[in-house]
Amino acid sequence: MWITWKAPSPNNFNPAADPGLMRMPKSRGGCPATLMKKIQRLEMEGISKSFHGIHANKEISLSVGSGEILGLLGENGAGKTTLMNILYGLYQPDAGQIKINGSPVRITNPMESILMGIGMVHQHFMLIQNHSVIENIALGYKDTPFFFPKIKIREKVASFSRQFNFTIDLNQKIWQLSAGEQQRVEIIKALMNGADLLILDEPTSVLTPKEIEELIIILRQMKADGHCVIFISHKLDEIMNICDRVVVLQKGSIVGSADTGKTDKKTLARMMVGRDVVFNISKEKLAKGQEILRADQIHVTGDMGLPAVKGVSFDLHENEIFGIAGVAGNGQRELAEAITGIRRIDSGKVTINGKDITNLSPRHIYDHGVSHVPEERIRFGIAPGLFLYDNAILKQHHLKKFSRRYFLKYNDVKTHTQGIVDDFKVLTHSIDNQIRNLSGGNIQKLILGREISEQPRLLVASHPTYGLDVGATEFLRHHLLKLRKQGSAVLLFSEDLEEIFELCDRIAVIFAGEFMGIFDSDDERLCEIGLMMAGSKRI
Amino acid sequence: MIRLSYTDRYQITRLRTLVTNIFSLAAGLVVISIIFLIAGVNPLFAISEIFQGSFGSMYGFKETITKAIPLILIGAGLTLAFRAKFWNIGAEGQMLMGAIFSTWTGLTFGDALPGFAIIPLMFAAGFLGGALWGIIPAILKIRYAINEVISTLMLNYICAHILTMLIVGPWRGATRFGFPGTDNLPDAAILSVIPGSRIHYITLILALACAAILTLAIYKTRFGYEARVVGENPDAGKYAGINFFKTTLILMAVSGGLAGLAGVGEVAGIHHYLGYPASVSSGYGFTAIIVAWLAKLNPLYTVISGIFFAGILVGGDAIQISLGLPAATVEIVNGTLLIFLIMGDYFLHNKITVSFSRT
Ligand SMILES: Nc1ncnc2c1ncn2[C@@H]1O[C@H](COP(=O)(O)OP(=O)(O)OP(=O)(O)O)[C@@H](O)[C@H]1O
Ligand SMILES: [Mg+2]
């Protein structure tokens, strides 16, 4: 009899709290030898899976062969992650089967799939925040020795890191890393196990353009070595660039597939959303109104105890979107947190409408009309086990309209939540649903809806389109422009230059905690933005 | 080959919770039976004696209700702390501190004040004592990141020794002929009981009210909301502007305070003086952890689970006498049931499928 260990719930955002993850068995006998052969072809046949009677996957069949990169496209909630979780052994399909090299296999937990040669990088990080990089890698590695695991593994990781240009201090704790760096740890973890089939679930959403390029190089190398890759992304350019073939999902079913050589972005988008998507939106000219935010010589310390923001000054007005462009980890997160009250400002001054808000509590700053869409939204923005309506008022629960004296007005809260769900097209069977059960993109939509539906005076938004499908991205950009038109100010942090140029009235480039310059969006000097982001030019 | 695989259950109904709990308790009883067998006692007889002793007679039932009072009070308080993932193992100490504070109040003012004044005063003092003992680990955790499991556990011993020191030393009563213990409380400071029983009904009413109010607090108020958010994800709590310090302090003050109330009930309702820690409490602070757990952290359900475990305590005493089993029997029974309840939780959250296949 096989007793299999409990798989960590894929929607559990706090792996540290899940003992399942800490109990990965070292290795397993029992695995039929034929399966240890390299994966030449993987097939999924007629896979179906439903939750609460709603189909997340419906009779899906696909296959991927050695040396092939298969793209998986689909709107938020289309069922991509569910399908991959089935392949990885986190879920059992209701129907259908998986075949490796032509013979059917049953994958009942992740350790089995790892031993079969399947690796997966999850949409949300599964790293243990209080452990170091090396400890996290050792934990997921199949040959970790029982005694002194770190010593043995360190050499392996070191050689691997050299090969893939991975420059992170292995002794750092995960919580000290930027989102992009955490993603790289996840990727290394999957690669270290020598996966024949690598599944990447939106791996690029938090990577910088340069990191994405490096990842693409790694993937090409893997492809040349005869590995199979399944790649999920909402960025059509990437899909076109990286993949050989794409499969498009809609509401759990396959609605089309194509060779990337024989299709284009527009067609894919139409297949996915069922209508034409406007990629370039134009913003109307608006005169800027009175000043809303003024930041004066702000200095902020980062998690590592080093200065992260060094003397930044700028102002932001009504009817204006101010973009801060830069490679992740140059002080953007600290700056956003300082303005919204989560992080202490060491020196300098921030005013909203002329009132000093420096180092006020997050709630006071919120009450001054400042909304915040944080960078690591899954980590900071939700309480996973609580219901949608609980999460829809996080940070707003103290407001008059949701509470009377000591009590919450749950009827009003529920109406409000239903409003967000309808406006932002959050896909859920009901608002009486734990938020952990939503798809990644739909969680993002709920958080965005919560923060921006309130008509903030100032919206501080970090990478607001992370994880959104093309339709939702389009909607969100229109919404930001609508806020601008209605007189709000938006402070937009993004690595996506296209997004910055499309939306912003003024753009600042940040490097190592300093502004390299502030420009109007039509300034010609911006053609050198790449150099400025790299810190080699200052204006 | 038989294979077992586990998947998450996405929705957990009340009925399923109930059925799972009943099955867990039944499975626990099976193991307890084996232990009885090893001890050379007929398990069916022993178990039926336990329930006969606690629910089978009027006397037993009254005793059961008496013992349920502290269990409900403490258990309800613990549900709040546990919801915020603050693992308060120190209810025993918090209860003793409540007993100390109220005894002092009763002895000091009991002769001067009438009952309707002194009794509320003693309850207030008891709440204060328990609350103080509860917020110490809260402060230690927030300010110095000291694990609350360890600090609350250790504070139990500190409190027990403070109490012992008091009753052996300065508080030793003149009427005790040199034996440790305070003098009896003045008549005004003693809780009246339902005639023919030891049920100090004021505390019972207080316990039921607390359970109801806490249920309301957890599910309907801002404070309960904040406690749940902090318990689910402290980072989100911080982002949402929830004052972690304040929330934790309040919930530990309430959790400890309710334990303190239980201490008042024991001293003023049952013993009428402050004696050795083991006689004041007999482990209610620990049993209440099981009570809170069995109630699935819903304060209202602690009324039911509190009565159930009080029954086991009373029944355990009964078989101790009638079958000549050692005093630890009750603890074995309790511990076994707790383990099975926790295991049952696993089956509640995971669906297990068994499949047969050929290799
Ligand atoms: N554990 C679960 N319980 C209930 N419903 C679930 C669960 N996991 C997924 N779902 C539902 O299944 C559907 C598909 O979700 P899935 O995560 O696969 O989407 P996705 O294609 O990865 O979307 P995204 O682009 O937003 O990540 C969603 O409607 C989601 O709410
Ligand atoms: Mg997904």
Side-chain angles (χ1 to χ4, degrees):
Chain A
M1 188 169 83
W2 290 9
I3 299 214
T4 52
W5 63 287
K6 151 91 162 52
S9 156
N11 286 315
N12 188 335
F13 301 114
N14 181 9
D18 188 337
L21 267 187
M22 328 274 287
R23 270 192 277 113
M24 289 242 189
K26 281 334 142 290
S27 70
R28 291 268 312 275
C31 220
T34 49
L35 297 181
M36 303 305 282
K37 267 208 315 218
K38 191 163 163 42
I39 300 179
Q40 298 289 346
R41 171 152 294 276
L42 179 124
E43 290 154 286
M44 299 182 89
E45 287 178 354
I47 300 279
S48 297
K49 174 84 189 173
S50 53
F51 300 105
H52 314 295
I54 298 168
H55 278 287
N57 289 154
K58 202 166 166 185
E59 287 163 31
I60 293 187
S61 301
L62 55 79
S63 81
V64 54
S66 152
E68 187 181 22
I69 303 185
L70 176 72
L72 209 51
L73 261 178
E75 288 181 271
N76 295 130
K80 307 178 292 296
T81 301
T82 306
L83 186 66
M84 291 302 108
N85 282 338
I86 289 173
L87 188 51
Y88 194 56
L90 283 167
Y91 291 149
Q92 294 302 305
D94 300 336
Q97 64 175 351
I98 300 170
K99 284 182 179 173
I100 291 179
N101 301 339
S103 46
V105 291
R106 270 189 57 124
I107 308 175
T108 50
N109 66 53
M111 208 58 201
E112 275 182 24
S113 70
I114 289 172
L115 290 173
M116 288 178 194
I118 300 173
M120 177 157 175
V121 174
H122 296 273
Q123 186 170 4
H124 306 296
F125 305 127
M126 300 286 208
L127 300 171
I128 298 170
Q129 294 286 329
N130 281 334
H131 283 202
S132 66
V133 173
I134 184 87
E135 284 164 345
N136 268 282
I137 293 179
L139 212 49
Y141 184 52
K142 60 180 178 189
D143 295 331
T144 303
F146 188 79
F147 290 109
F148 308 110
K150 283 194 272 179
I151 302 177
K152 265 265 162 62
I153 255 201
R154 191 175 293 272
E155 300 154 19
K156 266 216 93 108
V157 178
S159 77
F160 225 84
S161 317
R162 268 195 303 282
Q163 190 186 344
F164 289 113
N165 237 330
F166 175 75
T167 49
I168 293 173
D169 177 0
L170 296 179
N171 295 321
Q172 271 186 32
K173 302 268 187 264
I174 296 297
W175 59 268
Q176 295 171 322
L177 303 183
S178 76
E181 287 168 326
Q182 293 187 29
Q183 187 69 285
R184 308 199 81 198
V185 176
E186 287 277 23
I187 294 173
I188 285 285
K189 250 177 81 173
L191 293 179
M192 283 250 321
N193 278 323
D196 301 329
L197 169 75
L198 185 63
I199 303 166
L200 299 161
D201 193 353
E202 299 189 30
T204 55
S205 53
V206 289
L207 295 189
T208 63
K210 186 162 157 288
E211 287 172 329
I212 294 177
E213 267 168 41
E214 287 165 5
L215 177 67
I216 294 178
I217 293 174
I218 295 176
L219 292 182
R220 295 237 162 90
Q221 197 178 328
M222 290 187 67
K223 175 181 150 122
D225 294 345
H227 294 274
C228 321
V229 178
I230 299 181
F231 187 91
I232 300 177
S233 175
H234 291 294
K235 298 181 190 166
L236 295 170
D237 289 315
E238 262 171 37
I239 293 271
M240 294 296 288
N241 185 355
I242 299 174
C243 303
D244 302 307
R245 206 156 50 84
V246 278
V247 168
V248 182
L249 294 185
Q250 198 185 63
K251 302 209 175 81
S253 310
I254 294 189
V255 290
S257 68
D259 287 337
T260 44
K262 296 186 198 128
T263 187
D264 57 38
K265 262 170 70 174
K266 274 218 142 52
T267 322
L268 287 178
R270 196 175 326 113
M271 230 191 262
M272 196 165 120
V273 191
R275 64 176 167 86
D276 281 320
V277 175
V278 188
F279 286 104
N280 298 306
I281 47 179
S282 54
K283 61 170 189 283
E284 59 184 310
K285 273 231 158 305
L286 287 177
K288 65 180 175 187
Q290 71 193 58
E291 178 187 282
I292 291 188
L293 171 77
R294 169 171 289 280
D296 201 13
Q297 286 297 323
I298 304 190
H299 287 263
V300 183
T301 308
D303 283 339
M304 308 281 288
L306 299 174
V309 179
K310 306 166 194 158
V312 162
S313 304
F314 62 99
D315 51 70
L316 181 50
H317 299 254
E318 283 176 344
N319 307 102
E320 190 181 36
I321 300 183
F322 187 90
I324 296 189
V327 175
N330 276 292
Q332 293 97 317
R333 177 159 67 99
E334 289 83 356
L335 180 58
E337 289 180 353
I339 291 172
T340 51
I342 300 177
R343 192 178 285 271
R344 261 198 77 77
I345 296 175
D346 299 332
S347 68
K349 187 172 164 190
V350 184
T351 59
I352 295 286
N353 289 330
K355 283 192 222 62
D356 192 351
I357 58 153
T358 317
N359 287 331
L360 291 187
S361 73
R363 180 174 294 176
H364 279 108
I365 294 179
Y366 180 85
D367 291 341
H368 277 87
V370 181
S371 278
H372 182 203
V373 177
E375 176 180 272
E376 288 183 64
R377 296 195 260 289
I378 303 294
R379 196 171 133 209
F380 291 106
I382 60 165
L386 299 189
F387 292 114
L388 251 64
Y389 57 80
D390 286 319
N391 278 286
I393 53 163
L394 200 65
K395 214 180 185 181
Q396 297 155 4
H397 67 278
H398 64 290
L399 297 182
K400 273 233 169 54
K401 56 180 187 181
F402 298 130
S403 65
R404 188 185 308 120
R405 286 172 193 249
Y406 299 107
F407 290 90
L408 282 177
K409 298 194 260 188
Y410 270 107
N411 285 336
D412 296 353
V413 170
K414 287 185 177 173
T415 321
H416 171 76
T417 311
Q418 195 60 51
I420 296 178
V421 166
D422 295 341
D423 287 354
F424 286 77
K425 305 195 176 56
V426 179
L427 193 67
T428 173
H429 64 85
S430 129
I431 59 170
D432 287 300
N433 188 1
Q434 291 185 336
I435 197 166
R436 59 164 13 126
N437 289 342
L438 297 198
S439 84
N442 283 301
I443 296 178
Q444 306 278 11
K445 287 191 210 166
L446 187 87
I447 299 175
L448 287 166
R450 171 179 83 203
E451 297 299 330
I452 65 187
S453 64
E454 287 300 303
Q455 275 296 329
R457 294 292 289 147
L458 168 67
L459 172 66
V460 179
S462 301
H463 318 285
T465 53
Y466 269 1
L468 296 187
D469 62 38
V470 281
T473 302
E474 181 194 12
F475 173 80
L476 181 89
R477 291 185 181 164
H478 279 299
H479 199 99
L480 290 182
L481 290 176
K482 192 169 110 200
L483 281 179
R484 164 179 179 263
K485 191 169 174 193
Q486 289 166 343
S488 299
V490 179
L491 181 59
L492 178 69
F493 292 86
S494 182
E495 278 150 20
D496 186 344
L497 290 181
E498 204 181 310
E499 180 165 283
I500 291 252
F501 281 119
E502 220 169 78
L503 296 175
C504 297
D505 299 293
R506 282 187 303 147
I507 298 166
V509 184
I510 193 168
F511 176 77
E514 292 178 73
F515 278 171
M516 308 309 283
I518 299 180
F519 312 90
D520 287 334
S521 63
D522 49 8
D523 195 315
E524 281 176 4
R525 290 171 294 175
L526 274 172
C527 63
E528 291 185 300
I529 192 164
L531 287 178
M532 289 186 271
M533 280 166 69
S536 42
K537 185 154 181 112
R538 182 175 202 143
I539 292 168
Chain B
M1 174 176 298
I2 307 166
R3 293 188 115 193
L4 297 180
S5 62
Y6 301 72
T7 40
D8 275 4
R9 246 189 245 289
Y10 305 106
Q11 233 162 17
I12 296 164
T13 58
R14 281 219 180 118
L15 181 68
R16 190 185 289 286
T17 312
L18 186 69
V19 171
T20 313
N21 274 338
I22 290 174
F23 270 96
S24 314
L25 290 175
L29 286 179
V30 170
V31 170
I32 292 164
S33 306
I34 294 171
I35 297 173
F36 279 136
L37 269 182
I38 293 170
V41 181
N42 178 353
L44 287 180
F45 180 65
I47 290 173
S48 83
E49 276 289 283
I50 291 182
F51 290 102
Q52 276 293 319
S54 51
F55 298 103
S57 69
M58 201 55 206
Y59 168 78
F61 186 66
K62 285 181 208 155
E63 271 304 286
T64 301
I65 295 298
T66 311
K67 297 213 173 193
I69 296 171
L71 289 180
I72 295 170
L73 267 173
I74 304 174
L78 288 180
T79 58
L80 180 64
F82 290 172
R83 275 211 181 247
K85 303 231 159 79
F86 194 103
W87 305 117
N88 178 15
I89 313 295
E92 184 79 7
Q94 290 143 20
M95 174 180 172
L96 293 181
M97 202 41 100
I100 294 177
F101 270 53
S102 64
T103 307
W104 180 83
T105 313
L107 287 175
T108 315
F109 304 110
D111 289 324
L113 293 174
F116 64 81
I118 186 67
I119 299 278
L121 203 62
M122 280 169 67
F123 274 114
F127 186 92
L128 187 73
L132 281 179
W133 214 240
I135 61 179
I136 293 173
I139 293 172
L140 288 178
K141 174 168 179 164
I142 302 161
R143 280 286 129 94
Y144 307 104
I146 291 173
N147 186 311
E148 76 273 16
V149 174
I150 296 174
S151 59
T152 50
L153 186 65
M154 291 303 150
L155 281 166
N156 287 334
Y157 299 109
I158 298 180
C159 187
H161 286 291
I162 291 177
L163 196 161
T164 311
M165 190 190 79
L166 287 173
I167 58 169
V168 172
W171 287 13
R172 184 179 344 214
T175 54
R176 296 263 160 243
F177 307 108
F179 288 106
T182 62
D183 285 329
N184 269 354
L185 290 170
D187 285 345
I190 286 175
L191 295 170
S192 42
V193 293
I194 296 179
S197 77
R198 297 202 297 161
I199 302 173
H200 37 113
Y201 53 85
I202 296 180
T203 328
L204 178 63
I205 294 168
L206 202 60
L208 297 179
C210 284
I213 292 170
L214 266 187
T215 310
L216 207 63
I218 287 180
Y219 293 107
K220 297 284 176 215
T221 64
R222 272 166 54 181
F223 173 71
Y225 175 81
E226 296 187 348
R228 283 182 293 143
V229 170
V230 167
E232 273 291 326
N233 181 356
D235 284 334
K238 182 173 164 194
Y239 160 84
I242 294 171
N243 190 331
F244 186 63
F245 187 75
K246 195 171 117 192
T247 310
T248 312
L249 229 52
I250 294 180
L251 70 90
M252 272 312 286
V254 172
S255 183
L258 292 198
L261 292 184
V264 183
E266 291 308 291
V267 170
I270 308 272
H271 305 294
H272 305 168
Y273 77 99
L274 196 60
Y276 273 122
S279 71
V280 177
S281 161
S282 66
Y284 292 128
F286 296 112
T287 309
I289 296 173
I290 321 178
V291 169
W293 204 264
L294 180 61
K296 289 287 174 268
L297 303 190
N298 183 330
L300 209 53
Y301 296 163
T302 57
V303 176
I304 302 167
S305 61
I307 292 175
F308 178 78
F309 272 98
I312 291 181
L313 291 183
V314 173
D317 285 347
I319 58 166
Q320 205 173 301
I321 298 161
S322 64
L323 298 178
L325 289 171
T329 313
V330 184
E331 279 156 44
I332 293 176
V333 171
N334 270 345
T336 314
L337 290 182
L338 176 64
I339 291 174
F340 273 86
L341 284 172
I342 292 174
M343 289 199 290
D345 239 29
Y346 183 84
F347 292 94
L348 189 60
H349 290 283
N350 295 278
K351 187 170 154 194
I352 281 107
T353 32
V354 184
S355 54
F356 300 89
S357 65
R358 265 177 278 142
T359 16

